[in-house]
């Protein structure tokens, strides 16, 4: 499979600032790629910082002005498969800021009683979340976690993913959140899905069913959205002016929801 992805982000930076972007394809692939950052038309230096699970962060130090980041990558074929250490499996069983598995433990136990951890549980959780939430752009806040999402019964991709992650952890299945490029997604944007450790491998869970899982490209991986945001302002201030994301593939396969799929 041949995939092409790109992102263009424009920010107004107010005074000296340090910005960290997570927009590049993970180290599991060796893409042909370009990344440029301009401040009022002048190139800025970029530091690449390796993070967990192949995540590549890019840090930019900027003065005030209009900052524009452009990224493009061509990815051919599949990449390396991500594995898990014993520490990973402990980490991704713990509650986290946006995936409050401890608070949702009674709900998980009541809704999925009698289903053994494995493919059947993965399907049950994904279907349950997908049928109980309504996809509604703009309906949630950046601070909303899985509990608030279930109370509101609506959200966007990250809310669906957080809810799946929280329920799976509450059921004893290590789970985490992944930011991805998603060919076939409409409307196009960065996308968020869950991954669960099933039968000795990470399996994709996307309760939104908005893009074929086999086309997804990993960007950043972590406990929840706190670890995978496309932009983190670590010093100073910046406001988003515009963002355009594109992701295409030479083919969009049918997504058999009965099949276990790993990110490639």
């Amino acid at each position: 499979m041949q995939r092409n992805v790109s992102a263009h982000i424009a920010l107004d930076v107010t005074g000296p600032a340090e910005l960290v972007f997570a927009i590049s394809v993970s180290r599991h692939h060796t893409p042909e790629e370009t990344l440029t950052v301009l401040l009022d038309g002048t190139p800025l230096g970029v530091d690449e910082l390796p993070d967990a699970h192949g995540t590549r962060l890019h840090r930019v130090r900027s003065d005030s002005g209009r900052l524009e980041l452009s990224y493009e990558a061509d990815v051919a074929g599949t990449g390396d498969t991500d594995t898990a250490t014993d520490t990973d499996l402990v980490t991704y069983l713990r509650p986290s800021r946006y995936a409050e598995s401890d608070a949702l433990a009674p709900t998980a136990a009541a809704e999925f009683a009698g289903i053994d951890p494995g493919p059947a549980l993965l399907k049950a959780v994904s279907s349950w979340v997908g049928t109980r939430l309504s996809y509604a752009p703009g309906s949630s806040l950046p601070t909303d976690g899985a509990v608030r999402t279930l109370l509101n019964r609506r959200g966007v991709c990250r809310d669906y993913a957080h809810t799946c992650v929280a329920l799976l952890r509450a059921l004893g299945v290590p789970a985490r959140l992944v930011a991805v490029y998603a060919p076939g997604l409409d409307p196009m944007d960065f996308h968020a899905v869950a991954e669960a450790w099933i039968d000795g491998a990470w399996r994709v869970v996307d309760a939104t069913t908005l893009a074929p899982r086999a086309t997804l490209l990993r960007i950043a991986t972590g406990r929840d959205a706190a670890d995978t945001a496309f932009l983190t302002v670590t010093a100073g201030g910046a406001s988003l002016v515009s963002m355009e994301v594109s992701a295409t593939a030479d083919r969009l396969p049918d997504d058999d929801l009965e099949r276990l799929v790993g990110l490639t």
Side-chain angles (χ1 to χ4, degrees):
M1 182 182 295
Q2 180 74 33
R3 287 165 284 186
N4 176 269
V5 300
S6 65
H8 183 83
I9 299 170
L11 305 168
D12 277 337
V13 181
T14 55
E18 182 175 275
L19 315 171
V20 178
F21 295 90
I23 47 81
S24 62
V25 174
S26 77
R27 292 193 307 275
H28 295 87
H29 293 272
T30 53
E32 296 183 6
E33 62 182 354
T34 59
L35 172 65
T36 59
V37 179
L38 304 176
L39 180 66
D40 294 330
T42 300
L44 290 182
V46 179
D47 298 319
E48 182 169 314
L49 309 176
D51 201 355
H53 310 298
T55 301
R56 300 157 61 204
L57 304 176
H58 289 95
R59 182 177 60 194
V60 177
R61 294 183 174 94
S62 173
D63 291 324
S64 60
R66 175 63 58 85
L67 184 145
E68 295 186 75
L69 177 147
S70 296
Y71 174 76
E72 185 168 354
D74 290 313
V75 180
T78 60
D80 297 331
T81 301
D82 198 38
T83 58
T85 66
D86 289 342
T87 303
D88 291 333
L89 299 182
V90 171
T91 297
Y92 294 125
L93 278 174
R94 293 171 175 162
S96 60
R97 176 180 176 183
Y98 297 111
E100 311 98 313
S101 51
D102 47 355
L104 291 181
T107 299
E111 295 293 337
F112 305 103
I115 306 177
D116 293 329
L121 180 60
L122 206 61
K123 177 185 175 183
V125 169
S126 180
S127 177
W128 190 89
V129 172
T131 55
R132 279 158 179 78
L133 300 184
S134 297
Y135 194 88
S139 63
S140 59
L141 299 173
T143 53
D144 286 353
V147 170
R148 187 170 180 85
T149 296
L150 276 181
L151 289 173
N152 290 339
R153 296 288 175 163
R154 57 183 182 172
V156 293
C157 60
R158 62 168 257 166
D159 303 307
Y160 280 66
H162 283 148
T163 305
C164 287
V165 167
L167 291 171
L168 287 164
R169 289 178 187 170
L171 295 163
V173 177
R176 61 193 192 179
L177 188 128
V178 187
V180 297
Y181 285 105
L185 185 68
D186 185 20
M188 182 55 65
D189 203 341
F190 292 117
H191 193 45
V193 298
E195 275 188 317
W197 186 255
I198 297 292
D199 293 346
W202 290 109
R203 309 296 187 177
V204 183
V205 186
D206 186 4
T208 71
T209 65
L210 290 176
R213 290 171 296 161
T215 68
L216 304 179
L217 274 173
R218 186 188 305 273
I219 301 172
T221 307
R223 295 163 300 171
D224 54 32
D227 294 337
T228 60
F230 75 87
L231 171 63
T232 303
V233 181
T234 56
S239 58
L240 183 65
V241 175
S242 64
M243 183 174 71
E244 296 179 8
V245 178
S246 175
T248 59
D250 57 359
R251 58 187 177 88
L252 292 177
D254 292 334
D255 197 357
D256 180 1
L257 300 182
E258 299 287 334
R259 185 167 59 92
L260 294 176
V261 174
L263 285 179
T264 60

